[in-house]
Amino acid sequence: MKIILASTSPRRKELMDLGRFDYEILVSDLEEMRNMSLSLEEQSKDLAYQKAKIVYDNTQGDRTIIGADTLVVLGDKVFGKPKDREDAMNMLRELQGKRHYIYTSIAVLIDNKEKEKEYKELHKTAVYVKPMNDLEISEYISNEMPYDKAGGYGIQDSFSLFIDKIEGNYTSALGLPIQRIYEILKENRILGII
């Protein structure tokens, strides 16, 4: 049974490696467009599903495709990847001193001896950020260059100095709830563990 991660995210790859899964990476060429008629939670689940489904439709045989999507949300505002330094500064100014959420959705599509199964789930983590001044924000951006991270920060890098607490699963906040991936693979006997 092939396990395929439909993502180029280095953090998701690191998490899959931590699980010691035998997997490969195949990425869809999906242009990420959120369906604004859906709630933010449903938008995240929909994008994860679309990423997995494109790879699923372009592969054959027994396989498990894992797609994921992550949104950083404050109120009803979504924070994507910052376009530049100024955008990152503005994002972190807004997030500092507040609680926001990281929505990580997964879609796991399984074809096992022509029996198909789908999982579509949202995992929500609350992140409480301590107050930060402009110098701290500027130094963080200079040191970490967080332009490939939703919200303009990485929970696993030196931004952890400013995280007061998180409520929810840490690996979900990183972009892939690896314990849930493990459960799904185990439950479907993909890992050979009963």
Side-chain angles (χ1 to χ4, degrees):
M1 164 80 67
K2 269 191 210 175
I3 300 172
I4 299 171
L5 176 64
S7 174
T8 57
S9 162
R11 283 154 297 285
R12 290 187 184 122
K13 182 186 181 310
E14 286 170 13
L15 290 167
M16 290 292 286
D17 290 345
L18 280 176
R20 301 186 190 276
F21 304 128
D22 183 14
Y23 71 100
E24 59 188 85
I25 294 173
L26 273 177
V27 184
S28 71
D29 54 0
L30 176 72
E31 185 179 331
E32 291 189 28
M33 297 287 289
R34 291 188 288 131
N35 182 343
M36 300 308 234
S37 68
L38 301 174
S39 68
L40 291 176
E41 291 92 342
E42 291 302 316
Q43 287 176 36
S44 179
K45 285 177 12 183
D46 181 57
L47 278 173
Y49 180 77
Q50 286 181 51
K51 292 172 187 178
K53 183 73 167 127
I54 288 173
V55 173
Y56 185 85
D57 289 344
N58 288 308
T59 54
Q60 296 176 343
D62 291 351
R63 65 206 182 282
T64 299
I65 313 298
I66 301 165
D69 183 70
T70 301
L71 298 177
V72 173
V73 179
L74 177 63
D76 59 359
K77 182 174 180 180
V78 175
F79 292 75
K81 296 172 184 172
K83 297 184 284 287
D84 53 29
R85 183 180 183 81
E86 184 180 341
D87 197 25
M89 285 286 295
N90 289 335
M91 284 183 186
L92 294 180
R93 282 181 184 130
E94 267 190 84
L95 295 173
Q96 64 85 30
K98 298 183 183 119
R99 177 191 68 190
H100 66 277
Y101 291 93
I102 299 174
Y103 296 170
T104 293
S105 290
I106 57 169
V108 181
L109 309 182
I110 302 168
D111 184 349
N112 191 357
K113 298 177 181 40
E114 298 186 10
K115 288 183 186 166
E116 296 181 348
K117 203 166 190 182
E118 289 183 354
Y119 295 81
K120 289 188 259 186
E121 301 175 359
L122 174 80
H123 298 262
K124 190 173 174 180
T125 307
V127 179
Y128 294 76
V129 180
K130 292 180 178 183
M132 301 170 71
N133 62 42
D134 276 0
L135 179 59
E136 290 169 321
I137 292 171
S138 180
E139 285 183 356
Y140 168 73
I141 293 168
S142 294
N143 291 332
E144 299 290 351
M145 307 294 282
Y147 304 114
D148 65 335
K149 296 174 177 74
Y153 74 89
I155 201 166
Q156 75 284 2
D157 62 26
S158 64
F159 195 77
S160 60
L161 295 170
F162 306 104
I163 294 175
D164 189 35
K165 66 178 175 178
I166 66 168
E167 293 170 350
N169 185 276
Y170 176 69
T171 63
S172 293
L174 288 176
L176 192 68
I178 201 64
Q179 82 295 342
R180 182 60 182 136
I181 297 296
Y182 175 75
E183 286 171 4
I184 291 169
L185 297 177
K186 183 178 174 184
E187 176 184 308
N188 287 280
R189 299 175 183 241
I190 293 164
L191 298 175
I193 299 169
I194 299 173

Coordinates of all heavy atoms in Angstrom, one line a residue, residues 101-139:
Y101 N -6.6 31.2 16.5 CA -6.8 29.8 16.2 C -6.0 29.4 15.0 O -5.9 30.1 14.0 CB -8.2 29.4 16.0 CG -9.0 29.6 17.3 CD1 -9.7 30.8 17.6 CD2 -9.1 28.6 18.2 CE1 -10.4 30.9 18.8 CE2 -9.8 28.7 19.4 CZ -10.4 29.9 19.7 OH -11.1 30.0 20.9
I102 N -5.5 28.2 15.1 CA -4.9 27.5 13.9 C -5.9 26.4 13.5 O -6.1 25.5 14.3 CB -3.5 27.0 14.1 CG1 -2.6 28.1 14.5 CG2 -3.0 26.2 12.9 CD1 -1.2 27.7 14.9
Y103 N -6.4 26.5 12.3 CA -7.3 25.4 11.8 C -6.4 24.6 10.9 O -6.0 25.1 9.8 CB -8.4 26.0 11.0 CG -9.4 26.8 11.7 CD1 -10.4 27.5 10.9 CD2 -9.5 26.9 13.1 CE1 -11.3 28.3 11.6 CE2 -10.4 27.7 13.7 CZ -11.4 28.4 12.9 OH -12.3 29.2 13.5
T104 N -6.2 23.3 11.2 CA -5.6 22.4 10.3 C -6.6 21.3 9.9 O -7.1 20.6 10.8 CB -4.3 21.8 10.9 OG1 -3.3 22.8 11.1 CG2 -3.7 20.7 10.0
S105 N -6.8 21.2 8.6 CA -7.7 20.2 8.1 C -6.9 19.1 7.4 O -5.9 19.4 6.8 CB -8.7 20.8 7.1 OG -9.6 21.6 7.8
I106 N -7.4 17.9 7.6 CA -6.8 16.8 6.8 C -7.9 16.1 6.0 O -9.1 16.0 6.4 CB -6.1 15.7 7.8 CG1 -7.1 15.2 8.8 CG2 -4.9 16.3 8.4 CD1 -6.6 14.0 9.6
A107 N -7.4 15.6 4.9 CA -8.3 14.7 4.0 C -7.4 13.5 3.8 O -6.3 13.6 3.3 CB -8.7 15.4 2.7
V108 N -7.9 12.3 4.1 CA -7.2 11.1 3.9 C -8.1 10.2 3.0 O -9.3 9.9 3.4 CB -6.9 10.3 5.2 CG1 -6.1 9.0 4.9 CG2 -6.1 11.2 6.1
L109 N -7.7 9.9 1.8 CA -8.4 9.1 0.8 C -7.7 7.8 0.6 O -6.5 7.8 0.3 CB -8.5 9.9 -0.5 CG -9.0 11.4 -0.4 CD1 -9.0 12.0 -1.8 CD2 -10.3 11.5 0.3
I110 N -8.5 6.7 0.9 CA -7.9 5.4 0.8 C -8.6 4.5 -0.2 O -9.8 4.5 -0.3 CB -8.1 4.7 2.2 CG1 -7.4 5.6 3.3 CG2 -7.5 3.3 2.2 CD1 -7.7 5.1 4.7
D111 N -7.7 3.9 -1.0 CA -8.2 2.8 -1.9 C -7.5 1.6 -1.6 O -6.3 1.4 -1.8 CB -8.0 3.2 -3.4 CG -8.6 2.2 -4.4 OD1 -9.0 1.1 -3.9 OD2 -8.6 2.5 -5.6
N112 N -8.2 0.6 -0.9 CA -7.6 -0.6 -0.4 C -8.3 -1.8 -1.1 O -9.4 -2.1 -0.7 CB -7.6 -0.7 1.1 CG -6.8 -1.8 1.7 OD1 -6.2 -2.6 0.9 ND2 -6.8 -1.9 3.0
K113 N -7.7 -2.4 -2.1 CA -8.3 -3.5 -2.8 C -9.7 -3.0 -3.3 O -10.7 -3.8 -3.2 CB -8.4 -4.7 -1.9 CG -7.0 -5.2 -1.5 CD -7.1 -6.4 -0.6 CE -5.8 -7.0 -0.2 NZ -4.8 -6.0 0.1
E114 N -9.7 -1.9 -3.9 CA -10.9 -1.3 -4.5 C -12.0 -0.9 -3.6 O -13.1 -0.6 -4.0 CB -11.4 -2.1 -5.7 CG -10.4 -2.2 -6.8 CD -10.9 -3.0 -8.0 OE1 -12.1 -3.2 -8.1 OE2 -10.0 -3.3 -8.9
K115 N -11.7 -0.9 -2.3 CA -12.6 -0.4 -1.3 C -12.2 1.0 -0.9 O -11.0 1.2 -0.5 CB -12.7 -1.3 0.0 CG -13.3 -2.6 -0.2 CD -13.4 -3.4 1.1 CE -13.9 -4.8 0.8 NZ -13.7 -5.7 1.9
E116 N -13.0 1.9 -1.1 CA -12.6 3.3 -0.9 C -13.2 3.9 0.4 O -14.3 3.5 0.8 CB -13.2 4.2 -2.1 CG -12.5 3.8 -3.4 CD -13.0 4.7 -4.6 OE1 -14.0 5.4 -4.4 OE2 -12.3 4.6 -5.6
K117 N -12.4 4.7 1.0 CA -12.8 5.3 2.3 C -12.2 6.7 2.3 O -11.1 7.0 1.8 CB -12.2 4.5 3.4 CG -12.9 4.6 4.7 CD -12.4 3.5 5.7 CE -13.3 3.4 6.9 NZ -12.8 2.4 7.8
E118 N -13.0 7.6 2.9 CA -12.5 9.0 3.0 C -12.7 9.6 4.4 O -13.6 9.2 5.1 CB -13.4 9.9 2.1 CG -13.3 9.8 0.7 CD -14.1 10.8 -0.1 OE1 -14.9 11.5 0.5 OE2 -14.0 10.8 -1.4
Y119 N -11.7 10.4 4.8 CA -11.8 11.1 6.1 C -11.6 12.6 5.8 O -10.7 12.9 5.0 CB -10.6 10.6 7.0 CG -10.7 9.2 7.5 CD1 -10.3 8.2 6.7 CD2 -11.2 8.9 8.7 CE1 -10.3 6.8 7.1 CE2 -11.3 7.6 9.2 CZ -10.8 6.6 8.3 OH -10.9 5.3 8.7
K120 N -12.4 13.4 6.3 CA -12.3 14.9 6.2 C -12.5 15.4 7.6 O -13.6 15.3 8.2 CB -13.3 15.4 5.3 CG -13.1 15.1 3.8 CD -14.1 15.9 2.9 CE -15.2 15.0 2.5 NZ -16.1 15.5 1.5
E121 N -11.5 16.0 8.2 CA -11.5 16.5 9.6 C -10.8 17.8 9.7 O -9.9 18.1 9.1 CB -10.8 15.4 10.5 CG -11.3 14.1 10.4 CD -10.5 13.1 11.2 OE1 -9.5 13.4 11.8 OE2 -10.9 11.9 11.3
L122 N -11.4 18.6 10.7 CA -10.8 19.8 11.1 C -10.2 19.7 12.5 O -10.9 19.2 13.4 CB -11.8 20.9 11.1 CG -11.3 22.3 11.6 CD1 -10.5 23.0 10.6 CD2 -12.5 23.2 12.1
H123 N -9.0 20.1 12.7 CA -8.4 20.1 14.0 C -8.0 21.5 14.4 O -7.3 22.2 13.6 CB -7.1 19.2 14.0 CG -7.5 17.8 13.7 ND1 -7.6 16.8 14.7 CD2 -7.7 17.1 12.6 CE1 -7.9 15.7 14.2 NE2 -8.0 15.8 12.9
K124 N -8.6 22.0 15.5 CA -8.5 23.4 15.9 C -7.6 23.6 17.1 O -7.8 22.9 18.1 CB -9.9 23.9 16.1 CG -10.1 25.4 16.3 CD -11.6 25.7 16.4 CE -11.9 27.1 16.7 NZ -13.4 27.3 16.8
T125 N -6.7 24.5 17.0 CA -5.8 24.7 18.2 C -5.8 26.2 18.5 O -5.7 27.1 17.6 CB -4.3 24.3 17.8 OG1 -4.3 23.0 17.3 CG2 -3.4 24.5 19.0
A126 N -6.0 26.6 19.8 CA -5.9 28.0 20.2 C -4.5 28.3 20.6 O -3.8 27.5 21.3 CB -6.9 28.2 21.4
V127 N -4.0 29.5 20.1 CA -2.7 29.9 20.4 C -2.8 31.3 21.1 O -3.4 32.2 20.6 CB -1.8 30.0 19.2 CG1 -0.4 30.5 19.5 CG2 -1.8 28.7 18.4
Y128 N -2.2 31.4 22.3 CA -2.2 32.7 23.0 C -0.8 33.3 22.9 O 0.2 32.7 23.3 CB -2.5 32.4 24.5 CG -3.9 31.9 24.8 CD1 -4.2 30.5 24.5 CD2 -4.8 32.7 25.3 CE1 -5.4 30.0 24.8 CE2 -6.1 32.2 25.6 CZ -6.4 30.9 25.3 OH -7.7 30.4 25.5
V129 N -0.8 34.5 22.3 CA 0.5 35.2 22.0 C 0.7 36.3 23.1 O -0.2 37.1 23.3 CB 0.6 35.7 20.6 CG1 1.9 36.4 20.3 CG2 0.3 34.6 19.6
K130 N 1.9 36.3 23.7 CA 2.2 37.4 24.6 C 2.3 38.7 23.9 O 2.6 38.7 22.7 CB 3.5 37.1 25.4 CG 3.4 35.9 26.3 CD 4.7 35.6 27.0 CE 4.6 34.5 27.9 NZ 5.9 34.2 28.7
P131 N 2.2 39.8 24.6 CA 2.4 41.1 24.0 C 3.9 41.2 23.4 O 4.8 40.7 24.1 CB 2.2 42.1 25.1 CG 1.2 41.4 26.0 CD 1.7 40.0 26.0
M132 N 4.0 41.8 22.3 CA 5.3 42.0 21.6 C 5.4 43.4 21.2 O 4.5 44.0 20.7 CB 5.4 41.1 20.4 CG 5.3 39.6 20.6 SD 5.1 38.7 19.1 CE 6.8 38.8 18.4
N133 N 6.6 44.0 21.3 CA 6.8 45.3 20.8 C 7.4 45.2 19.4 O 7.8 44.1 18.9 CB 7.7 46.2 21.8 CG 9.1 45.6 21.9 OD1 9.8 45.1 21.0 ND2 9.6 45.6 23.2
D134 N 7.5 46.4 18.7 CA 7.9 46.4 17.3 C 9.4 45.9 17.2 O 9.7 45.2 16.1 CB 7.8 47.8 16.7 CG 6.4 48.1 16.2 OD1 5.5 47.2 16.3 OD2 6.2 49.2 15.7
L135 N 10.2 46.1 18.1 CA 11.6 45.7 18.0 C 11.6 44.1 18.1 O 12.3 43.5 17.3 CB 12.5 46.2 19.2 CG 13.9 45.8 19.2 CD1 14.6 46.1 17.9 CD2 14.7 46.4 20.4
E136 N 10.8 43.5 19.0 CA 10.8 42.1 19.1 C 10.2 41.5 17.8 O 10.7 40.5 17.3 CB 9.9 41.7 20.3 CG 10.6 41.9 21.6 CD 9.6 41.8 22.8 OE1 8.4 42.1 22.7 OE2 10.1 41.3 23.8
I137 N 9.2 42.1 17.3 CA 8.6 41.6 16.0 C 9.6 41.7 14.9 O 9.8 40.8 14.1 CB 7.3 42.4 15.7 CG1 6.2 42.1 16.7 CG2 6.8 42.1 14.3 CD1 5.0 42.9 16.6
S138 N 10.3 42.8 14.8 CA 11.2 43.1 13.7 C 12.4 42.1 13.8 O 12.8 41.5 12.8 CB 11.8 44.5 13.8 OG 12.7 44.7 12.8
E139 N 12.9 41.9 15.0 CA 14.0 40.9 15.2 C 13.6 39.5 14.8 O 14.4 38.7 14.2 CB 14.6 41.0 16.6 CG 15.4 42.3 16.8 CD 16.1 42.3 18.2 OE1 15.8 41.4 19.0 OE2 16.8 43.3 18.4

